[in-house]
Amino acid sequence: MKNSKHNISKRDFIRKSALLSAGLICFPCHKMLSESLPDQQGIYKRVAMYQEKTADGILCRICPNECVLNESDLSRCNSRKVHNSKLYTLAYGNPCSVNIDPVEKKPLYHFYPGSRAYSIATAGCNLACRNCQNWTISQTSPDKTRNFDLPPADVVAECISNNCRSIAYTYSEPVTFYEYVYETAMIARKSGIKNIMKSNGYINPEPLKKLCTVIDAANIDLKAFTESTYLKLTGGKCSNCLKSVDGVWN
Amino acid sequence: MLVPPPSTLLLNRYYTTEFFSMIKEHLNPGGVFMCSPGSAQTYFNEESLKLNSSVFNSLKVAFANVKPVAGNKLYFIASDKVLSASFCRLTEQQNIKNHYVSSDYLADDLTERKSDEIESLLDPEMRQNSSSFPIAYNYFQLYNLSKDLNEKVPAIVLLILLFATPLFAIKRKNLIMYFSASALAAFEIIVLLTLQLTVGNMYQLTGLIIAGLMAGLAIGAGSDFSRVTPISIPVKSIILILFYVLAASVYGSIIKTDSRFPAICMIMLLSFIPAFITGNIFRELTCESRTGNHIASVYSADLSGSAMGFIAVSGFAVPAFGTAATIYFLALLVFSGFLFGTIMNKH
């Protein structure tokens, strides 16, 4: 006997259930997506430094990852994007973490001890360490975090008004917000404010050399001593970090 | 109190409104309680804010004042008297001599500033964490999931496919078995959770509950009761639906009871009844055919339904919707089986 019109076949039942489940799953996803959608108008504020056009795309020469990116591609550090054939930094004037810390927390014990450091970070990192304590900002993009509107000059002004002796570029990875660090540090120097970089040292020699002209103190994390462990824990190469450790002091 | 964050339903008990109220009963007037639901981050993402907000709001139910303090972890201090995060000033006031708590290490203004900043980020409207609605556990899972989400997605998809695949092998007439087994497995998880909430130490009683459930299944499937056997499967389904609706409505009173022995008896009875009916449905479905093939397919529907019930309830439904709502959902599950597996299955 044929099924009546009220009957439902197994295939129909499964299809409808799958559609309903997909709908239920997609509803919160859509909500999450719409919440995290960035203000696309304002994110391309600053053209990135150290970019080079190649046959394969735009090469970012800031760090040893040397991402080659095409239109709308996001770099491995989640902070650089190609827009209209130019590489832009998404991490400029928009720190997601702003704190006043004792300088000892950086940790620097012999650099203006007892003073305070105005500490800033934007989202993003060029490594992917397994045990990162700041993963909520290091493994995401500046367009997905709650950010402060703090251009370089304002950082310096805030630092002075809060009686801080230095500005610390810390928490996530300052190499990924290189332009912001460099320009803030330049203004800070003019005002007599010291600059501290807390970094994984995963940066190419040329940008590092330029940055060292404005940085007064640095703390470079050497996260492992062998290439295999370094790769396993961070996804990067130990030798690149060692070059930076050498480069900072020389 | 330093216990791990609410990463399991067991640990979630230490972050509920019920637990905080109990703590307050045992504190001296103006006593201070402290707990830590997670780490103190330089940036709190949405998931961690939800987790911390739910615990903060739960503490607010029991205590007049609650203050977040960022240290190695994020601490919540709670009391009925006015609280302060100016630890240096307080230690000086109390003439406590020490080397660690001094302005060289902890500056009062920075601690207070950070405290205020975190409090301003917390959502006062966030649902409180309770025994019957363990929302903090849910947010902790979401917080964990938000870390390296891209790496976890393939595993989640694989798991969903693994549990969804048996659905394609289930015959329509066995859907009632699939859904009633799913509801029973889910109910078993809820019963175990309830046991934990009412009795606390559940090591031996867990065995007793599972034994009760298995006995119900065995008696229902193996015995030929003259009064039960003639009842048709749709009617048995309706009885099962009514049972879950009733269980959902009395659930609140069970977890609030102070007398443990009646609670345990009630819990055991609650686990036996649906098991007996589900076992009897299995009997009915397998008795109508003498082929081993058919029995195997009913058994397959039974097991895959149970697997789905275990996963969906312990991992998703209870923390997302609360226990009582989940039991109502079980009634809905059986109703789906009744609808698609019995009523619309008639030829």
Side-chain angles (χ1 to χ4, degrees):
Chain A
M1 191 179 158
K2 281 263 179 196
N3 288 349
S4 75
K5 63 178 179 178
H6 297 295
N7 286 0
I8 183 168
S9 70
K10 184 173 81 180
R11 194 172 292 276
D12 269 355
F13 170 69
I14 291 169
R15 188 169 57 83
K16 284 176 181 169
S17 301
L19 280 173
L20 180 67
S21 310
L24 285 172
I25 290 166
C26 287
F27 173 69
C29 287
H30 173 261
K31 201 179 158 202
M32 272 156 54
L33 281 172
S34 60
E35 277 171 359
S36 65
L37 277 177
D39 169 17
Q40 295 289 343
Q41 303 300 316
I43 64 170
Y44 303 114
K45 276 191 280 197
R46 174 72 163 83
V47 175
M49 294 163 83
Y50 296 100
Q51 60 176 292
E52 193 178 310
K53 276 194 181 175
T54 69
D56 297 326
I58 295 178
L59 168 72
C60 174
R61 292 195 295 111
I62 290 271
C63 86
N65 286 334
E66 302 206 326
C67 302
V68 178
L69 306 163
N70 288 303
E71 194 65 27
S72 299
D73 284 353
L74 190 63
S75 60
R76 268 180 70 181
C77 64
N78 288 311
S79 298
R80 281 150 205 280
K81 203 171 187 177
V82 176
H83 177 64
N84 290 339
S85 305
K86 270 188 182 169
L87 187 65
Y88 283 83
T89 171
L90 308 182
Y92 187 86
N94 53 351
C96 59
S97 289
V98 178
N99 285 301
I100 297 169
D101 293 326
V103 75
E104 286 80 4
K105 196 186 164 187
K106 296 302 113 192
L108 289 172
Y109 296 110
H110 306 287
F111 186 78
Y112 296 93
S115 70
R116 290 177 175 184
Y118 193 79
S119 309
I120 57 170
T122 64
C125 183
N126 49 3
L127 293 180
C129 303
R130 290 270 162 207
N131 302 313
C132 180
Q133 64 170 340
N134 287 314
W135 63 268
T136 50
I137 52 172
S138 70
Q139 301 305 312
T140 188
S141 177
D143 57 4
K144 290 188 176 125
T145 48
R146 296 182 309 275
N147 300 326
F148 295 86
D149 182 20
L150 217 53
D154 289 3
V155 175
V156 178
E158 283 289 313
C159 172
I160 294 168
S161 69
N162 284 288
N163 297 318
C164 296
R165 188 73 189 81
S166 54
I167 298 171
Y169 310 96
T170 179
Y171 304 136
S172 55
E173 177 44 56
V175 171
T176 66
F177 50 101
Y178 185 92
E179 295 78 5
Y180 188 33
V181 173
Y182 184 74
E183 286 175 22
T184 308
M186 292 257 286
I187 301 169
R189 285 209 128 193
K190 286 177 189 160
S191 306
I193 297 293
K194 300 293 176 187
N195 293 293
I196 300 168
M197 183 171 79
K198 174 88 167 65
S199 169
N200 60 23
Y202 214 67
I203 181 169
N204 277 334
E206 196 187 338
L208 176 65
K209 202 173 168 185
K210 189 179 176 77
L211 200 58
C212 284
T213 59
V214 289
I215 295 293
D216 300 289
N219 186 324
I220 305 293
D221 287 341
L222 179 62
K223 295 169 192 293
F225 298 99
T226 62
E227 284 295 352
S228 59
T229 312
Y230 200 92
L231 181 68
K232 195 174 157 186
L233 291 179
T234 72
K237 284 184 185 169
C238 184
S239 56
N240 291 323
C241 181
L242 287 171
K243 272 183 214 163
S244 298
V245 173
D246 191 41
V248 165
W249 304 125
N250 296 311
Chain B
M1 189 188 74
L2 285 175
V3 292
S7 54
T8 65
L9 283 172
L10 177 74
L11 287 166
N12 186 73
R13 293 172 62 205
Y14 300 110
Y15 297 92
T16 55
T17 48
E18 292 89 344
F19 182 75
F20 295 146
S21 301
M22 195 182 81
I23 287 285
K24 191 180 166 184
E25 283 170 22
H26 289 77
L27 276 180
N28 288 329
V32 180
F33 173 71
M34 185 200 77
C35 67
S36 173
S39 57
Q41 296 148 335
T42 51
Y43 176 86
F44 291 90
N45 67 4
E46 289 305 313
E47 290 78 11
S48 63
L49 281 178
K50 284 176 182 170
L51 164 69
N52 290 316
S53 299
S54 67
V55 175
F56 182 84
N57 294 345
S58 307
L59 277 163
K60 279 267 186 189
V61 171
F63 296 96
N65 299 301
V66 185
K67 204 168 182 65
V69 179
N72 287 337
K73 298 167 84 176
L74 176 64
Y75 302 102
F76 284 136
I77 51 175
S79 179
D80 280 345
K81 69 176 184 184
V82 177
L83 291 166
S84 166
S86 301
F87 301 116
C88 303
R89 180 179 55 79
L90 290 171
T91 47
E92 276 173 27
Q93 267 178 11
Q94 299 291 325
N95 285 323
I96 299 169
K97 292 198 188 315
N98 68 85
H99 295 288
Y100 184 72
V101 185
S102 72
S103 54
D104 291 340
Y105 296 88
L106 280 171
D108 283 349
D109 61 328
L110 295 186
T111 319
E112 289 282 5
R113 182 182 168 138
K114 191 72 190 168
S115 232
D116 293 343
E117 186 194 320
I118 295 170
E119 193 168 344
S120 71
L121 290 171
L122 298 175
D123 179 3
E125 302 300 317
M126 188 59 64
R127 192 183 185 104
Q128 296 143 4
N129 186 42
S130 66
S131 298
S132 57
F133 208 129
I135 195 82
Y137 161 76
N138 188 34
Y139 289 139
F140 189 87
Q141 299 305 326
L142 289 175
Y143 170 67
N144 263 353
L145 204 62
S146 68
K147 186 182 181 188
D148 304 325
L149 184 61
N150 291 344
E151 284 180 21
K152 290 169 186 165
V153 163
I156 294 168
V157 170
L158 199 69
L159 272 175
I160 291 171
L161 284 176
L162 193 71
F163 288 110
T165 307
L167 260 175
F168 293 91
I170 297 164
K171 291 178 179 165
R172 188 153 30 111
K173 62 183 173 184
N174 293 337
L175 279 176
I176 181 64
M177 190 72 251
Y178 178 84
F179 284 116
S180 57
S182 187
L184 181 67
F187 193 65
E188 189 179 344
I189 294 288
I190 289 170
V191 165
L192 290 173
L193 175 65
T194 312
L195 188 74
Q196 204 176 84
L197 294 172
T198 50
V199 182
N201 183 359
M202 53 177 285
Y203 173 63
Q204 285 165 322
L205 286 168
T206 301
L208 209 60
I209 293 294
I210 294 174
L213 188 117
M214 289 300 166
L217 276 172
I219 296 169
S223 309
D224 187 11
F225 294 102
S226 56
R227 285 175 188 271
V228 179
T229 309
I231 303 172
S232 66
I233 290 181
V235 176
K236 281 174 189 159
S237 310
I238 291 167
I239 295 171
L240 207 51
I241 292 165
L242 291 174
F243 169 82
Y244 285 127
V245 170
L246 185 72
S249 54
V250 298
Y251 181 77
S253 346
I254 293 175
I255 58 165
K256 278 178 192 157
T257 183
D258 286 332
S259 16
R260 289 185 174 187
F261 185 70
I264 293 168
C265 292
M266 179 67 105
I267 289 167
M268 287 194 66
L269 192 68
L270 282 178
S271 60
F272 180 84
I273 295 170
F276 175 80
I277 302 170
T278 309
N280 204 258
I281 290 173
F282 179 85
R283 180 186 173 82
E284 286 289 307
L285 286 170
T286 49
C287 275
E288 65 184 36
S289 167
R290 292 183 184 276
T291 64
N293 230 0
H294 174 68
I295 295 169
S297 70
V298 177
Y299 190 54
S300 165
D302 185 0
L303 293 185
S304 49
S306 303
M308 190 55 92
F310 283 133
I311 292 292
V313 162
S314 61
F316 180 68
V318 168
F321 306 118
T323 317
T326 302
I327 305 176
Y328 281 118
F329 177 70
L330 302 186
L332 198 68
L333 265 184
V334 181
F335 181 71
S336 304
F338 166 75
L339 202 66
F340 300 117
T342 61
I343 299 291
M344 291 185 178
N345 191 31
K346 284 180 181 169
H347 294 274

